[in-house]
Structures are given as C-alpha cells and as structure tokens.
Amino acid sequence: MLVNERPEQFSLGYDAKPCQPEDIVFCFWDGHVLLRTDESARRLPTWGEVATFCDHQEPTHAFTQDQRRCFLLNLPSMEPAPAGFAWEQARVFRVLTPQEDSYALMVALHLSAWYAKHRYCGVCGGSPVPAETERALVCPQCGLVQYPTISPAVIVAITDGGRLLLARNAHGVFRHFSLIAGYVEAGETLEQTVRREIMEEVGLRVKDVRYISSQPWGLSQSLMIGFHAQLDGSPAITLQTSELAEAEWFRADELPEHAGPASIAYELIDLFRQGRLV
C-alpha cells in the first residue's frame, strides 16, 4: 500500500470543543514527543493520562482521525517523564505502530512546528490567536490571518534499465542511502524541480518524468511529491559534495537497507525492488 492510500477518515477541520480525557494529546519539546510505554511497546497518550503532567496547560486541537480527536501541546521545558512515559525523538514515527499512529504523529509534528514558529505576527509583532472556525492564526492587532505553512518538495526514483540511483546526505542525522530530493523554488513546475535537483546533485539528465505518489512529511513541514524518471544519456555521476556524501547505482538484489517503511522513499524503492517502476 502506498503511503497516501490510507483507509482511515482524517479531518484537519478545527474543533473548538475542549480536550476530553479520552482524546489523544501530543506533548512536544524541542523535537521530542512524550509517549506512553507499556512493557516494550510505545503508544500515544490520552489527555486523561498527561493532564496533571502538563501543568494545566490547554492543548490545541490538531485533527480528527477516524473517531478519535487529537490535540497538541508545545511544552516550555522537558521535565522528567513520569512513570510509564518516555521522551522520544519525534523521528520515532518511523517505527511507531500501528501505521495510523505513525501518520498521526508526523502530522502533529508539522502543526506543532508551525505553531511554535508563529508566536508573533510577521507584520506588526502582535500575538496571534487561533481562529474560531478554521485552522488559522489571527492577529488581534492588525488582522493578519496565517495558515499552516507547507513546503512542496520532490523526491525521485531515477532508473537506468535495471539499476536505481541512491545517494547519502553529507549532513544531518539521516545517513542511509535514499533518493534524490529537493525543494521547489518560486516559479518552477514540479517537473522542472526534478530535472534541476538531479542535475545539481548528481549531474545527470533524465526523461519521462512521471508522478507516482505523495506524502506529508512533518519533519520538514513539507509535502513530498514522488516521481519516477529514466536516465537520459551517460550514467556517470558528478557528485555535489556540499549536499551528498556519495551516490551509486544499485540493482534490485543489491539494494542497501533503508530506515523503515514509514516514508515515500521506502515506497518508491520498494516499487523498484518489485519491478513495478517501468
């Protein structure tokens, strides 16, 4: 199942009804999230379980997934986790199960970052407040309305017959081999971004650029838009060393281990492994 083919009903509509004890609450602090730990498993906590720990702060409605309402809190400090809880890096969504919880954590992370970055109005410096009827922040001083920021980015499976191009980043904490990716610039089409990023990072030309799937990606508050492109010309790689540590061509039986199935990169690589990228 591709990452955007999700069976649950998911609504980002704003719900002004106060958080109830049975509602899910995501508590964030500096890239960490508070999770309930039951034996060796992790699960999302309810408001009834974390209300006293959160010092009577009022959580903000994030979204509704199936019949469960989900809220979030940005905490001012990381207090020691109470018994039965643990602070985890928010990247834990890569291994969190079930899939619905993994997806919910990723979306909550996106909204948490947006709220944290918009504590002040960009026009007058006022303090925005949540809109009453929609997912937005409104400045009571100048009236500026701000909606969640979503940055479009492309991610591309580049094939040369029976080979797939994979690369490793030169920076950051994610050092697994993955696909070429990059943000869309002002004035670009998605297809132009695909060709530019590939040329910049590995010096290759491609043809037959084809959309495959998409995925919201909370770590960077972006929408990852997945493509398949075929090599057009020489397979010789010219590496952009400021961005990438290495890049190589791999056959299906040579593919290195990936970080996990919670990303569109994994889905595209798996399509190649199955012989379905043609």
Side-chain angles (χ1 to χ4, degrees):
M1 182 175 72
L2 291 176
V3 288
N4 67 337
E5 295 175 350
R6 302 192 179 276
E8 74 266 16
Q9 296 295 315
F10 190 82
S11 172
L12 276 166
Y14 185 68
D15 187 343
K17 179 183 176 182
C19 190
Q20 302 299 305
E22 67 275 12
D23 293 332
I24 298 296
V25 175
F26 296 91
C27 301
F28 291 104
W29 178 84
D30 192 28
H32 293 74
V33 62
L34 188 69
L35 294 182
R36 191 82 166 102
T37 55
D38 294 331
E39 298 177 352
S40 60
R42 307 177 185 92
R43 67 171 175 83
L44 305 179
T46 65
W47 182 232
E49 294 172 326
V50 300
T52 55
F53 173 75
C54 294
D55 195 27
H56 307 292
Q57 297 183 68
E58 187 64 33
T60 300
H61 178 255
F63 49 82
T64 299
Q65 186 185 44
D66 284 331
Q67 299 301 312
R68 66 177 183 177
R69 300 194 308 155
C70 297
F71 290 72
L72 60 87
L73 275 174
N74 283 326
L75 300 179
S77 62
M78 180 190 279
E79 300 294 334
F85 292 82
W87 285 106
E88 300 275 2
Q89 288 279 350
R91 293 176 180 273
V92 73
F93 76 80
R94 290 183 181 275
V95 295
L96 190 66
T97 56
Q99 185 185 46
E100 289 76 12
D101 287 359
S102 171
Y103 182 64
L105 174 53
M106 187 163 55
V107 179
L109 180 63
H110 185 155
L111 290 173
S112 170
W114 175 67
Y115 279 114
K117 293 175 182 178
H118 291 80
R119 292 182 298 167
Y120 302 100
C121 175
V123 174
C124 71
S127 298
V129 297
E132 295 183 356
T133 59
E134 59 180 342
R135 173 75 53 211
L137 289 171
V138 181
C139 178
Q141 294 183 196
C142 71
L144 177 69
V145 180
Q146 301 177 83
Y147 295 94
T149 303
I150 303 171
S151 301
V154 301
I155 184 165
V156 194
I158 308 164
T159 58
D160 175 24
R163 303 191 301 173
L164 175 70
L165 184 74
L166 297 178
R168 287 198 309 111
N169 290 330
H171 311 286
V173 298
F174 186 80
R175 296 302 178 91
H176 289 77
F177 273 101
S178 192
L179 303 176
I180 299 298
Y183 290 103
V184 181
E185 294 186 357
E188 280 188 326
T189 65
L190 298 177
E191 293 80 5
Q192 288 171 333
T193 304
V194 167
R195 295 186 175 90
R196 174 182 56 76
E197 285 289 342
I198 294 171
M199 178 56 67
E200 287 178 355
E201 296 195 1
V202 289
L204 299 174
R205 297 186 182 279
V206 294
K207 62 183 179 180
D208 299 330
V209 178
R210 181 169 63 95
Y211 169 79
I212 301 295
S213 183
S214 64
Q215 178 189 25
W217 194 243
L219 288 175
S220 55
Q221 298 88 66
S222 56
L223 176 66
M224 301 299 296
I225 305 157
F227 288 88
H228 171 219
Q230 298 183 34
L231 180 69
D232 185 16
S234 171
I237 297 168
T238 302
L239 199 66
Q240 185 183 27
T241 55
S242 62
E243 294 288 337
L244 300 178
E246 59 181 313
E248 299 180 28
W249 293 100
F250 294 89
R251 297 192 179 278
D253 59 355
E254 304 170 333
L255 292 171
E257 181 182 0
H258 197 267
S263 70
I264 190 173
Y266 180 93
E267 297 285 355
L268 293 172
I269 293 170
D270 200 47
L271 287 176
F272 169 77
R273 181 186 290 109
Q274 298 172 33
R276 295 169 59 190
L277 282 184
V278 294

